[in-house]
Amino acid sequence: MATSSSSPCSTTFLLGLYSLFFFVFICWTQAAHLYSSEDPVTILHSGTVKQTLQNSSSAWLVQFYSSWCGHCIQYSPTWKALAGDVKDWEPAIQLGVLDCADEKNFDVCKEFGVHFYPTFRYFKARNNKFDLGKPYRGANRELPTVRQVMVNFLQNHSQEEWPPACPPLESSRSSDVLALLGKKNQQYTAVIIEDENSFVGREVILDLMQYDGLTVMRALGSDASLLEKLGILSLPAGYLFHPNGKHELMKVHKTLRFFFSSFLKLLPEVRRKKPQSSRSPDLAVQEGDTAATVWKEFDKSKVYMADLESGLHFLLRIELASHQTLEGKELETFKDFVTVIAKLFPGQQPVVKLLETLLEWLVSLPLDRIPYDAILDLVNNKMRISGMYLTNKLEWVGCQGSQQALRRYPCSLWTLFHTLTVQAAERPDALANTGLEENAQAVLQTMRRYIGSFFGCQECGWHFEEMAKESMDQVTTHNEAVLWLWRKHNTVNNRLAGALSEDPQFPKTQWPTPDLCPACHEEVEGLHAWNEKEVLAFLKRHYGASNISPKYTAGPEEGTAGGQGDKEPSEQEPGWEDPKYGAHSPKSPYLEKLQGKERQEQGIGLHKEAKPGMSFLGLGFSNIDLSLCVLMYVSSGLFLMIMFFFFRMRSKRWKVRHNRFSI
């Protein structure tokens, strides 16, 4: 007898088939995104691979992979890490990838004779003929091993094939090194003395090849007289010859490649090379402006209050000014932002008082729309509250740049956000009764919304939002929030290293550098690694209130907005009407016109009169309003006096009637 129900075997088979399809789909989805334009590798395809490799000025190591290959998927993080580790080597040797599972690459993979995945091929520089490349057949594909093979491959180039930008990697003679003693030069010379089988010297040479102001050499430690004259007791070691003839051992925390390279990149006058086409006329003009700027000496182990206050000044008076009215999500974001900085900003009391006053005012106003001019009036202390001010000068110290367009406000904003995350971790009760106290992501999410709504660099906002989507929701404690922001800041530094926005005097490196926190750095299996426990302790020290220097901080007597709040506009100093504020200068006629228009349009009880009235927080009163207030005040007083005497006389009559003497 036939039955309509499926047998258990059939059901099990179908479930297994569905599971297999689902697994293949997941693997294919992940593999399709093995490498992207965000990774530090060059993605090749059939239309670019030959012209890229043929007659190239640099050597190449190319991985031919298949997007469905499980081992290729597992190896991709190592390949990306290797590419990031040798990013500075690109003028000498570059890393590329080509997906042979992509249909358009079938023919070219066949032409290159690729049969297994992943397949690694080396291609020499300056090769005019089509070449299938030299295969790497080593069983060990760990990062340090592949990196060392890359160095050996470079050294196997002949003189005719040598990459033009690659410095010599051979060891120097002891006599050449000793000849540098006491000799003056135009730049630094660093010598790495090492054993014959060591790769540290050659890797440091390649790490510094994109930097000016320095020559790096290597010498072998087999010459005892060289070690004796330089005072070297163990290998590897670094020796530095200064331009003025001074010479000394490099003082590094650990004698490892990363520590040597970081030490040399941070030397004065050592700068990352800029491409010839990178200089624009705009930057050239701005460089001329810096001649009038006085350079401020500063300690990079300190945070400067002048940077934090200058950042707040720019944020509240300049960046926010592009939003004539705050409403909806923008207003909510701004209120949360002011809440966070008012509760956590470790600043001077007058600045904290201004932030707290701004917060109280925002919270007390039952409005869905607030004109920016009202906020500006409060920031400029138009109500003339004593002991409250915020500088109106841009005094960059730790965030000063070698050119007008570099560092400055973005640097101060990063510094402010780092300081706020540390303050939230150190003072967990500071946000009590604000609605944010239970949220470990409070500062980060407020940052995220502020950057998305108000930060002027839109592309920067997009990048930050992508980073936030990736992992911000995984933050569960205040300490994790501190580390999350630090990691993402280093991600941004790595992405922008060598870009036009990088200040050559302050190259974008992984921070903190070994000179600031030696214990933060380690080397694991030949690759630099962070000791995050030490990093967290360092961040709390560095951005703690006790490490914030008041040096260069402006006071009321030095031309701050609040400092002049007690003066009439006619008495204020000429510098108060700063052209940088444009239409938002407190004396600007355009501002007064805009304020009147906002008041009339928003219907918040303001009347436009021919005669000027009193302006308070952008919500002004006309003369008629003031006259009515005075009249009502006097009338109320008279009414209260009449009622007082009326009830007093009535009370006396009542006492006479009910309190007669009895005999």
Side-chain angles (χ1 to χ4, degrees):
M1 183 175 178
T3 178
S4 59
S5 61
S6 301
S7 67
C9 291
S10 300
T11 304
T12 303
F13 174 76
L14 289 174
L15 287 173
L17 192 60
Y18 291 150
S19 299
L20 178 62
F21 285 153
F22 179 75
F23 175 76
V24 171
F25 173 76
I26 293 295
C27 289
W28 177 84
T29 303
Q30 293 178 343
H33 300 88
L34 276 187
Y35 302 97
S36 70
S37 58
E38 297 295 322
D39 297 320
V41 297
T42 301
I43 300 176
L44 303 171
H45 55 80
S46 60
T48 62
V49 60
K50 288 184 179 180
Q51 53 264 46
T52 299
L53 301 178
Q54 190 169 342
N55 201 26
S56 171
S57 60
S58 64
W60 283 84
L61 171 56
V62 178
Q63 178 193 170
F64 295 85
Y65 73 98
S66 176
S67 54
W68 52 257
C69 166
H71 181 67
C72 298
I73 296 172
Q74 294 175 6
Y75 190 70
S76 61
T78 302
W79 194 253
K80 293 175 185 178
L82 174 65
D85 187 47
V86 299
K87 185 178 180 180
D88 286 334
W89 300 11
E90 287 185 352
I93 185 167
Q94 300 188 57
L95 295 186
V97 291
L98 191 145
D99 185 7
C100 291
D102 190 335
E103 186 176 358
K104 65 183 179 183
N105 295 329
F106 285 172
D107 292 339
V108 73
C109 288
K110 182 179 179 180
E111 189 174 359
F112 276 91
V114 177
H115 304 293
F116 304 101
Y117 309 109
T119 292
F120 301 90
R121 299 277 180 86
Y122 289 97
F123 297 86
K124 288 188 174 182
R126 305 169 72 175
N127 188 354
N128 294 321
K129 300 179 181 179
F130 174 71
D131 185 8
L132 295 180
K134 179 182 178 181
Y136 170 63
R137 305 184 187 278
N140 186 348
R141 293 174 179 171
E142 296 300 319
L143 190 151
T145 303
V146 178
R147 190 176 63 212
Q148 292 171 7
V149 172
M150 291 171 66
V151 173
N152 286 332
F153 177 70
L154 277 174
Q155 285 197 275
N156 288 334
H157 279 65
S158 65
Q159 189 65 33
E160 294 76 20
E161 300 167 332
W162 193 261
C166 184
L169 300 178
E170 296 296 332
S171 59
S172 300
R173 295 177 298 179
S174 298
S175 58
D176 294 336
V177 175
L178 294 175
L180 297 172
L181 291 172
K183 184 179 180 181
K184 293 184 178 182
N185 206 332
Q186 294 183 347
Q187 60 183 12
Y188 292 96
T189 300
V191 182
I192 306 298
I193 299 95
E194 59 187 344
D195 292 325
E196 186 175 1
N197 296 326
S198 172
F199 283 84
V200 173
R202 286 169 285 183
E203 290 176 346
V204 172
I205 291 173
L206 292 170
D207 286 343
L208 273 295
M209 65 182 299
Q210 294 200 59
Y211 286 78
D212 282 325
L214 175 73
T215 299
V216 185
M217 305 160 51
R218 59 183 286 259
L220 299 181
S222 54
D223 187 344
S225 62
L226 174 66
L227 301 183
E228 182 180 356
K229 290 182 179 180
L230 298 183
I232 296 173
L233 301 177
S234 60
L235 300 177
Y239 206 85
L240 183 65
F241 297 89
H242 293 255
N244 61 4
K246 179 184 174 183
H247 51 88
E248 60 182 343
L249 280 168
M250 291 188 205
K251 298 179 178 64
V252 294
H253 184 66
K254 299 176 183 177
T255 56
L256 300 172
R257 167 206 169 197
F258 174 81
F259 289 85
F260 285 128
S261 296
S262 297
F263 177 88
L264 296 174
K265 289 177 182 179
L266 294 172
L267 288 173
E269 307 305 324
V270 172
R271 306 283 183 265
R272 183 184 292 273
K273 295 176 181 177
K274 287 284 187 180
Q276 293 295 324
S277 59
S278 68
R279 295 180 56 85
S280 66
D282 292 336
L283 283 180
V285 171
Q286 289 168 342
E287 282 181 20
D289 295 340
T290 60
T293 302
V294 178
W295 184 261
K296 303 175 186 66
E297 296 298 327
F298 68 97
D299 181 355
K300 64 180 180 179
S301 67
K302 294 285 186 182
V303 173
Y304 285 85
M305 185 59 68
D307 290 322
L308 297 175
E309 291 186 1
S310 296
L312 284 177
H313 156 59
F314 191 96
L315 184 154
L316 293 171
R317 293 198 181 99
I318 300 175
E319 187 167 65
L320 203 64
S322 61
H323 300 257
Q324 294 186 1
T325 303
L326 300 186
E327 57 183 323
K329 290 185 177 180
E330 281 189 353
L331 179 57
E332 182 182 348
T333 296
F334 183 67
K335 285 183 177 180
D336 286 346
F337 180 76
V338 173
T339 299
V340 168
I341 58 174
K343 297 295 183 180
L344 297 175
F345 186 71
Q348 303 179 92
Q349 185 55 37
V351 179
V352 173
K353 183 176 180 180
L354 185 145
L355 296 173
E356 290 175 344
T357 304
L358 176 59
L359 174 60
E360 292 172 6
W361 178 71
L362 287 170
V363 172
S364 63
L365 274 182
L367 298 176
D368 296 329
R369 303 177 67 203
I370 296 180
Y372 164 72
D373 298 320
I375 298 170
L376 181 64
D377 280 350
L378 194 149
V379 173
N380 288 336
N381 198 5
K382 282 294 190 70
M383 75 292 285
R384 301 170 187 172
I385 299 175
S386 63
M388 184 176 92
Y389 70 86
L390 175 64
T391 179
N392 67 351
K393 289 185 176 181
L394 294 175
E395 292 286 351
W396 309 117
V397 185
C399 287
Q400 61 189 319
S402 62
Q403 300 174 15
Q404 289 280 3
L406 302 178
R407 302 185 82 226
R408 304 192 175 207
Y409 177 59
C411 166
S412 72
L413 203 58
W414 276 111
T415 305
L416 174 64
F417 289 150
H418 281 298
T419 302
L420 294 177
T421 57
V422 167
Q423 290 299 310
E426 295 289 86
R427 299 159 49 203
D429 298 330
L431 293 174
N433 302 318
T434 63
L436 302 173
E437 60 271 17
E438 300 297 330
N439 186 2
Q441 302 172 20
V443 176
L444 297 180
Q445 293 292 356
T446 302
M447 279 177 50
R448 178 183 185 178
R449 290 159 56 204
Y450 177 85
I451 292 172
S453 300
F454 300 108
F455 190 53
C457 176
Q458 191 176 46
E459 187 173 349
C460 304
W462 292 339
H463 282 296
F464 191 86
E465 179 60 25
E466 288 301 315
M467 292 191 299
K469 287 180 180 178
E470 180 183 326
S471 58
M472 186 179 286
D473 290 341
Q474 299 171 15
V475 173
T476 58
T477 67
H478 291 299
N479 285 344
E480 288 178 8
V482 174
L483 289 173
W484 185 93
L485 185 61
W486 160 75
R487 291 190 201 102
K488 297 310 175 185
H489 195 172
N490 269 341
T491 299
V492 174
N493 281 347
N494 188 58
R495 179 169 54 84
L496 296 180
L500 278 174
S501 59
E502 182 184 53
D503 192 326
Q505 193 162 333
F506 301 93
K508 294 186 181 298
T509 59
Q510 298 301 283
W511 192 88
T513 49
D515 58 325
L516 290 177
C517 182
C520 295
H521 300 268
E522 296 177 346
E523 189 167 297
V524 178
E525 296 180 353
L527 187 64
H528 172 261
W530 293 100
N531 183 331
E532 293 198 348
K533 181 180 178 180
E534 293 292 339
V535 170
L536 179 61
F538 169 82
L539 293 173
K540 288 187 174 183
R541 290 194 305 270
H542 187 77
Y543 292 107
S546 61
N547 195 49
I548 300 178
S549 171
K551 191 176 181 181
Y552 302 110
T553 303
E557 69 282 356
E558 299 175 57
T560 58
Q564 299 191 40
D566 294 332
K567 299 181 181 180
E568 294 295 332
S570 60
E571 298 174 355
Q572 292 176 354
E573 299 172 12
W576 169 239
E577 194 169 6
D578 195 326
K580 286 186 288 188
Y581 304 144
H584 301 286
S585 173
K587 295 175 62 177
S588 170
Y590 177 74
L591 173 59
E592 295 298 327
K593 181 179 178 181
L594 178 61
Q595 288 174 338
K597 182 179 179 182
E598 291 282 358
R599 295 165 194 153
Q600 188 179 41
E601 288 181 352
Q602 295 174 23
I604 50 180
L606 306 175
H607 308 281
K608 196 171 182 179
E609 297 291 332
K611 295 182 180 181
M614 179 183 294
S615 175
F616 178 70
L617 298 182
L619 311 176
F621 295 98
S622 67
N623 290 337
I624 294 178
D625 294 329
L626 296 175
S627 300
L628 287 173
C629 288
V630 173
L631 180 61
M632 291 181 66
Y633 179 80
V634 173
S635 301
S636 300
L638 290 173
F639 176 75
L640 290 174
M641 290 176 65
I642 292 171
M643 293 302 294
F644 172 77
F645 286 113
F646 172 76
F647 283 107
R648 184 175 178 81
M649 294 300 295
R650 185 175 180 181
S651 175
K652 286 183 178 180
R653 284 194 298 232
W654 185 86
K655 288 180 180 179
V656 170
R657 183 181 305 173
H658 295 280
N659 293 311
R660 295 178 180 177
F661 294 102
S662 60
I663 300 176

